[in-house]
Amino acid sequence: MAFKTKPFDVAQYLETDEDIRLFLQAAFEEGTDEEFIHALNTAARAKGMTEIARKSGLTRASLYKSLADGGKPRFDTIVKVTKALGCKLVIA
């Protein structure tokens, strides 16, 4: 009997702002630059790309493009998305 599998999407499990904050914090502290950008994409999808676009002042198309695998978002884009997600970047 063959097993049926479904793709796993962590965005479905990021239900609260705290979940998103902890997810991004772990990705930033433990991952690579590319993994952090991927985590931003996942968190933005969890919140809703339309909402993040509205709050950040960016278009949905530019969000999808800059946060896609292999995307190279500008620093100001990262800051805007982070703020739109209710988080902030901190240097300690």
Side-chain angles (χ1 to χ4, degrees), residues 10-87:
V10 73
Q12 296 174 351
Y13 300 93
L14 298 175
E15 298 176 343
T16 67
D17 290 342
E18 182 71 5
D19 292 341
I20 290 172
R21 186 185 64 76
L22 292 171
F23 176 69
L24 291 176
Q25 186 176 24
F28 184 75
E29 291 175 357
E30 300 170 15
T32 64
D33 295 348
E34 291 81 17
E35 290 168 336
F36 180 68
I37 292 167
H38 182 76
L40 277 177
N41 178 307
T42 302
R45 286 187 299 104
K47 269 293 216 196
M49 281 293 200
T50 301
E51 179 181 344
I52 298 305
R54 183 181 53 78
K55 286 182 176 182
S56 66
L58 302 166
T59 65
R60 284 180 58 230
S62 69
L63 280 178
Y64 280 112
K65 182 178 178 181
S66 62
L67 299 180
D69 287 340
K72 300 283 186 200
R74 294 172 27 157
F75 182 71
D76 66 325
T77 300
I78 293 171
V79 171
K80 288 176 183 180
V81 172
T82 303
K83 285 181 180 179
L85 288 165
C87 300

